[in-house]
Every structure is written in structure tokens, then in C-alpha cells.
């Protein structure tokens, strides 16, 4: 932006006093005003705490305001306003919590008992599991900053620094998927296993009703892990209602036609709060980054000579902006749900001690339903982290 502000006239314009005066009035001054407007909007609406901590950013900002802006009587007042807004913004850095005000109190939890690692998840109403997952996941989702979604930051060597909140949501989703598989596989007999499977299908359905599509996808990913996917006998014991529900949810999370079913459901969702599936955005951002160059060549002719200019690929940045604005839109409205301390503590802590790794899952799967030697091998499913990163 500072380089754009300091734009200089073409040589043929600078050579003519009349042309220079016209260029300054028609080109330079409007561009410089737009630069100031962009900086104003950035400070007031878009700057994040981690950006303010970037080495040299504040120094560069102060140098620009105290230098070029202060040197011109036309922009001096704008510079003072920018500096005042930045000072106010810097005073508000650090841990901040959104004020969550609702016209009505949340409904009380449906489960008020203690819940530990030895209890069966099917004992807790599916809606309450969905509510508590949603509270935790919105907390993770709303912390993702726009900068974390740029340049595939979540895949780079310094990803823990550049995209820490994206990675935290991915880690949580992977843990939930592993928990789902572990819950099903840990049951002792087929009736209990089928009951656990059906209950988790209902939890996924309740997540969808709440608009927690990220929760829906992570639960369905857990039910689709190879160790669970192959449990044909378990799924045959589901009642007709659960089987129909499972088929409906499978269609909703299908990758067919670029996730057409899910995109339609997200577009049609009318609830006050929503957690979209992060993996879809990461996939779309990956295609934008890899399929579009940062600059485009434009050939211009001056004095019968062709010249190739390297221009910013504005279309690429518009595509980025559209996705980031959509994410920010969904981050604005919190859920009016009551926390259930025992379930929340379980999901944050106790659950992690119960997770089977991939090898343990498959060994247990073969134990509860031995392989039919005449059946074709089960196709391995990609781990959720790959789905979240958009690398199908």
C-alpha cells in the first residue's frame, strides 16, 4: 500500500507540466485517497492481534503516517485520524471475549448427571452431545483469523505459528472422528455396538439441525473409517429409521459434484448460528492458490513498442476475499446453548484417553466381526486430516 501511495508518473507525463497536473488530479490523488481508505477499514474492521505483533508492522505504519501523509496538507488530517485509530486498536489487544447477549435464556441441559470414561455415550441424549460439541467447536471456529486461510498456511513448515487455530479445529475434528470409531468398537456385543452406532448417527443428525456442519462431517468421518465401515453386521442391526437417517446423512456429506448436497444445505440453512464444514473452505482455498498465479501479464503498446506488465491477479484475491468474508459471516453469531459441565469436561479431556489408534481400531474391528475370506478387501478411507486439508 505504501508503494502504491508513492506512485510516480510515466516519463512522458512528467515531461509535460500540463499533463503532470492532470495526472496528479485524476490519477495520483484518487489512488492515494483509496490507499488511506483501505488502511482505515483495515484498522477498524480487519486487523487481528497476531498481525499487530508482526515484526516491523507498527514501525512501518508510523513511518508512513509521519512521513508521506504528514508531508502533505491534503492528507495530514487523514494521517492523524489513522494514527488515532491505530492507537485505540492497540490498546484493545490481548485476550478478548465476545459479549454474548440473548433475548431469552438457553434451554437447560438434557443431562445433569456426572459422566466419565466408564459411562456409555448412548446414555446421554443425542441432542445434548450435539449441543456440547457445537459449543466447543464454535469456540474453536470463531478464533480463526483471515491470515490463517491465506497461502495454504495450514500446510506450511511454520503452520503452528501461521495457522494455529485452523490446526486446533482440525485436531479436534480428528479426535472426535477417532472417538466415534472407538465408541462403536469398544462395545462388547453386536446389540450394544449397533445401539452405539445408531446413537452416533442421531448425534450427527442433531448437529446438522443445529447448523454445526463441521460436527456432522467429523462424526460421519468416524463412522466411515475403515475399521467401522466394514462392520456390516452391526449396521444390519440398525432399525429402519436409523438406516434411513444414515443414508440421508451420507448423501449430505458426499463429495459428489463438488459437495453439491452440502453446499445446498448450507445455503438453505436459516438458523441464527452456524458452523460450516471447514474442510470445504480449505479445499476451495487450495484450488484457488494452486490454480491461479499471483500476477498476470498484460501487453501494452506505447510508441509502437510492446511492453509486458506484471499486474496483480485481482481475480484471485477476489476469490480469496469471498471465502474469507463467508467465514467471517458465520463467526459473528454465537450459539445460545447452555454448557453441561460433565459432558464438556469429557469432550475436552477424558475422551482423549479413550481413543484407539488406526491399528487398534482395525484389530478390534476384526475381532468383533472376523473377515470373510470370500469378501473383497475394504477400501481404506483417507484420514480426516486429509479431508480437512482438501487433499482427496
Amino acid at each position: 500500500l505504501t508503494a502504491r501511495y508513492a506512485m510516480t508518473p510515466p516519463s512522458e507525463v512528467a515531461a509535460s507540466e500540463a499533463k503532470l497536473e492532470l495526472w496528479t488530479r485524476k490519477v495520483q490523488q484518487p489512488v492515494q485517497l483509496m490507499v488511506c481508505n483501505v488502511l482505515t477499514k483495515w484498522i477498524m474492521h480487519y486487523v487481528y492481534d497476531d498481525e499487530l505483533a508482526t515484526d516491523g508492522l507498527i514501525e512501518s505504519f508510523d513511518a508512513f503516517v509521519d512521513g508521506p501523509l504528514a508531508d502533505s496538507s491534503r492528507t495530514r488530517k487523514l494521517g492523524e485520524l489513522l494514527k488515532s485509530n491505530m492507537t485505540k486498536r492497540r490498546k484493545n489487544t490481548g485476550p478478548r471475549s465476545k459479549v454474548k447477549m440473548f433475548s431469552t435464556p438457553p434451554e437447560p441441559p438434557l443431562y445433569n448427571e456426572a459422566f466419565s470414561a466408564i459411562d456409555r455415550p448412548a446414555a446421554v441424549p443425542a441432542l445434548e452431545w450435539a449441543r456440547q460439541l457445537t459449543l466447543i467447536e464454535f469456540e474453536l471456529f470463531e478464533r480463526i483469523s483471515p491470515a490463517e486461510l491465506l497461502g495454504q498456511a495450514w500446510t506450511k513448515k511454520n503452520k503452528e505459528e501461521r495457522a494455529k487455530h485452523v490446526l486446533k479445529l482440525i485436531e479436534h475434528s480428528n479426535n472426535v472422528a477417532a472417538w466415534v470409531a472407538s465408541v462403536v468398537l469398544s462395545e462388547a456385543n453386536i446389540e450394544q455396538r449397533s445401539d452405539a452406532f445408531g446413537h452416533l448417527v442421531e448425534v450427527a443428525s442433531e448437529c446438522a439441525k443445529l447448523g454445526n456442519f463441521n460436527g456432522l462431517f467429523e462424526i460421519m468421518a468416524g463412522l466411515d473409517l475403515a475399521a467401522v465401515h466394514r462392520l456390516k453386521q452391526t449396521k444390519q442391526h440398525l432399525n429402519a429409521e436409523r438406516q434411513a437417517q444414515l443414508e440421508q446423512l451420507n448423501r449430505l456429506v458426499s463429495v459428489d459434484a463438488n459437495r453439491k448436497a452440502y453446499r445446498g444445505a448450507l445455503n438453505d440453512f436459516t438458523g441464527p448460528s452456524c458452523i460450516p464444514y471447514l474442510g470445504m473452505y480449505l479445499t476451495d482455498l487450495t484450488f484457488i492458490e494452486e490454480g491461479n498465479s499471483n500476477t498476470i501479464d498484460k501487453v501494452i503498446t506505447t510508441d509502437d513498442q510492446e511492453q509486458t506488465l506484471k499486474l496483480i491477479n485481482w481475480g484471485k484475491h477476489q476469490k480469496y476475499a469471498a471465502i474469507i468474508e463467508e467465514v467471517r459471516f458465520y463467526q459473528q453469531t454465537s450459539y445460545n446453548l447452555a454448557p453441561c459441565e460433565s459432558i464438556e469436561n469429557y469432550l475436552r479431556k477424558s475422551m482423549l484417553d479413550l481413543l484407539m489408534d488406526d491399528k487398534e481400531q482395525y484389530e478390534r474391528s476384526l475381532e468383533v466381526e472376523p473377515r470373510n475370506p470370500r469378501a473383497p478387501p475394504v477400501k481404506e478411507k483417507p484420514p480426516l486430516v486429509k479431508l480437512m486439508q482438501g487433499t482427496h
Side-chain angles (χ1 to χ4, degrees), residues 40 44 105 130 138 142 149-150 162 164 181 218 269 274 380:
T40 300
M44 296 179 67
F138 187 82
E142 71 173 339
L149 302 174
L150 298 175
R162 292 179 57 188
K164 60 183 179 181
E218 67 198 12
F269 184 73
C274 179
E380 291 289 336

Side-chain angles (χ1 to χ4, degrees), residues 73-87:
S73 59
R74 183 173 52 83
T75 57
R76 191 173 298 125
K77 292 278 187 187
L78 271 174
E80 293 173 358
L81 179 61
L82 283 171
K83 199 162 188 177
S84 174
N85 288 335
M86 179 61 86
T87 300

Side-chain angles (χ1 to χ4, degrees), residues 246-266:
L246 178 62
E247 291 176 5
Q248 180 185 14
L249 295 176
N250 278 328
R251 289 193 294 271
L252 182 55
V253 301
S254 170
V255 299
D256 292 347
N258 193 22
R259 300 196 184 279
K260 180 180 179 180
Y262 164 64
R263 292 179 192 270
L266 178 63

Side-chain angles (χ1 to χ4, degrees), residues 46-54 89-90 92-96:
Y46 297 102
V47 66
Y48 277 68
D49 291 353
D50 54 351
E51 293 175 326
L52 291 175
T54 303
R89 177 64 185 85
R90 291 176 69 187
N92 292 327
T93 58
R96 293 174 293 164

Side-chain angles (χ1 to χ4, degrees), residues 215-227:
L216 161 68
F217 271 84
E218 67 198 12
I219 293 171
M220 295 304 292
L223 295 176
D224 207 32
L225 289 172

